Amino acid sequence: MSNIQNNRAFSMIADIEGDYTDLNAFQLPNEMPILAVRNIVMFPGIVSPILIGRVTSLHLVEEAEKHNKLIGVVCQIKPDTDFPEQKDLYEYGVCARIVRMITLPNDNVTVIIQALGRIKLEAITAHKPYLKGRVVSMPELEPEKRDREFKTAIADLRKLTQDYIRMNDELPEEANFAINNMNNDILTLNFICSNMPFTVKEKEELLGLDSIKERLFNTMRILNREIKLETLKQEIRNKTRDDLDEQQRNYFLQQQIRNIQAEMGNGEGSPEKRDLMEKAINKKWSEDIERVFYKEVEKLDQLNPQSPDWNVQLTYLQTMISLPWGEMTVDDLDLNRAQKVLDKDHYGMEKVKERILEYMAVLQLRGDLKSPILCLYGPPGVGKTSLGKSIAEAMGRKYVRVSLGGLHDEAEIRGHRRTYIGAMPGRIIKNIQKAGSSNPVFILDEIDKVTQMTHNGDPASALLEVLDPEQNNAFHDNYLDLDYDLSKVLFIATANDLNTIPRPLLDRMEIIEVSGYITEEKIEIAKRHLIPKEKENNGLKGEKKLNFNKAAIEKIIEQYTRESGVRQLEKQINKSFRKLALRKAKDGELPYLKVTPNEIEDLLGKPPFYRDIYQGNDYAGVVTGLAWTSVGGEILFIETSLSKGKGSKLTLTGNLGDVMKESAVLALEYVKAHADVLGIDYRIFDNWNIHIHVPEGATPKDGPSAGITIATSIASALTQRKVRKNVAMTGEITLRGKVLPVGGIKEKILAAKRAGITDIMLCQENRKDIEEIPDVYLKGVKFHYVENVQDVWNFALTNEIVEKPLDFTIKEEDEKGKSKE
């Protein structure tokens, strides 16, 4: 096999006497040596010099010349193949003989080869000492000698070729002389096919045609195309010649300016500019951004380094070059690892974790996905902000955070225009620059505390573009004055109250509630996170045996804190360890290693808070309700008392809100309408005043969920029947007595369990909320689902009358007195 290179010399015409058909007058062996050549397609009758480069090819041509053997010449499909197989060679080639071998001064060998007739390579039969193959002869279909069409077409081909040679500067004028002096039309055609700058594939297609006439027409078609291309090139050159002259003039002027600036210490000699240009080489920005950058760099050349504008321009370019255009960290999409990281850092929060894992799973399957815009809302201290850092760690992304609390200037989001003194980009772009990647986890903290509509603009409206998945792929910062793609950023906003967030902004985010922790969850958080952390913070890490038991932690939670989160709990645990550290520093040892409820008061003092416990059912009109607060669930006592009077007077006390007052009025009206069901003398309402009170009057209370509790309390007071033991209830009522569902079920159930409640009554539609709560929290409590107030009374009111019941007997004289009045 050979390493063949075209020596760019024109192929020659064989000196053939007689007819073109005589070229096929040779005895073709069944197997013959195959010389594989690069970028050369030989046609019958053509003589061409070929440079031999490979040892095997040199061996082939030496043996062929020595024994006067015929060889097959076939072109390779890919010129860079060093050891071609049959699949690497074209199907058609020529049978040829070696005319002469020439050894060049540099010891390279060139052979002059004359092509005879066409052959077709059927198979490679040997590879050593050189390629051998089985071939068959492929005679050509010649036109008749008197074929006028062929003669006319050949004459036209000669003219076209001569025109093309004159147009193409790369072809020598000697080619025209050769074409003019050829007598044989077929050899002229083959000469043109062999020497015109057609592609190898086109030449092979021409060689593969059996009909000479068809080869002629195809050659004319290719040549016409090449002439059109050359004509087009000439037109372009003529049009641009004047432009080039103007450009050359401008180039020389610019070069002189650069030389002057270099002498002044500016221009390409400026270290700042060199640094910018070096960094720009590796940037993955788009062509539009790149064009703007180099345009701005050119402006830098026009400025004096001593002028303030030079520093302004340099600062802008440094900001632009430091942004991570198109640079992203590779996501770690191992879901099991992500689950472990999220669980390690935060207890609970299952909805948020599940949403992040869903996003990662879809990203893993699709490979590319717009990031969701999440909003975590819930009470303070539940870990919304710190969860963002865990999400970044779980996904292997960078983490940035911006606090939006009290933000009142739109420019803080979108940046200032460069026309202002001290202009800078907005917080979004600055934090992307700080992250160093275009796909960080970006926490927008306290988004509900953004100031709306001031004389400095509306920051909340500016956030609409940031948090809209359909727009943020082209976020426009006023300072940059360019569009930046934020679509791969995972934005996580946090909020305490959704009511203060503008509706259009809220609509763009996926809302996920992060509810407050219940006591059981706080105990686990304290054990896993807070106690080890505070022990280390207070220098007690070496005390391996020092720990709090469960009852001690529960006492801190119940009696020393009032919160949904765990911030106060962390402070109380820190205070406990500080006290222990003080005693160890004084006495040299700890007073105890196991902190129990008894030691808590010693460390933290008297507890400031107490939780209510169930008080029994000895009194008529006292019913246990359930309430939700921002710091968890509570039991709530509804007390109803009766006093003699003129009747029709309802007194409500206990710092009640409007909704709760309306619930009391509804409950009383329903009891009046169903007095006969309860066995109440309707005249009681004319002679007795009703007073409803909810204890802890300093604490505001509101909401409709005490509806059935108030109705049961009034019914119990008017009938003097006891309420079933250890029962609590929650639910809204309508004027028709229908019980409606309420919220905060999980917190209310746990409050009931802590108070010793065993039976809970709630609306039938709240069953779905119960089914979502883990069984461990439901153990020991039985649920009774009701649809109307009658169902509540049937279960909650017993037939047992309290001790010392009120006497509702209405004397006859009282009735007469009423009538007179």
Side-chain angles (χ1 to χ4, degrees), residues 669-731:
E669 291 302 317
Y670 184 81
V671 171
K672 285 180 178 180
H674 296 80
D676 54 339
V677 176
L678 293 168
I680 300 172
D681 186 343
Y682 66 91
R683 293 176 296 176
I684 291 176
F685 299 111
D686 296 329
N687 294 278
W688 294 79
N689 296 326
I690 299 174
H691 184 164
I692 299 174
H693 176 68
V694 183
E696 296 187 27
T699 306
K701 309 166 193 72
D702 203 0
S705 64
I708 61 173
T709 315
I710 296 172
T712 305
S713 175
I714 295 171
S716 172
L718 291 172
T719 60
Q720 294 294 291
R721 290 160 63 183
K722 284 186 175 184
V723 177
R724 190 183 295 270
K725 275 189 176 183
N726 300 314
V727 168
M729 59 189 72
T730 181

Side-chain angles (χ1 to χ4, degrees), residues 156-174:
D156 193 25
L157 178 64
R158 288 176 192 267
K159 184 177 180 305
L160 283 173
T161 306
Q162 289 168 350
D163 292 342
Y164 180 67
I165 292 170
R166 279 193 294 272
M167 295 171 69
N168 194 322
D169 296 334
E170 296 178 3
L171 297 176
E173 280 296 327
E174 291 82 356

Side-chain angles (χ1 to χ4, degrees), residues 724-744:
R724 190 183 295 270
K725 275 189 176 183
N726 300 314
V727 168
M729 59 189 72
T730 181
E732 180 182 354
I733 63 169
T734 68
L735 197 57
R736 294 177 291 122
K738 184 175 175 61
V739 180
L740 302 180
V742 292

Side-chain angles (χ1 to χ4, degrees), residues 568-584:
Q568 293 301 321
L569 175 60
E570 184 177 10
K571 290 176 183 176
Q572 295 298 333
I573 292 172
N574 179 275
K575 182 178 178 181
S576 301
F577 280 121
R578 289 200 314 269
K579 297 282 188 185
L580 291 170
L582 175 63
R583 294 187 187 180
K584 184 180 179 181

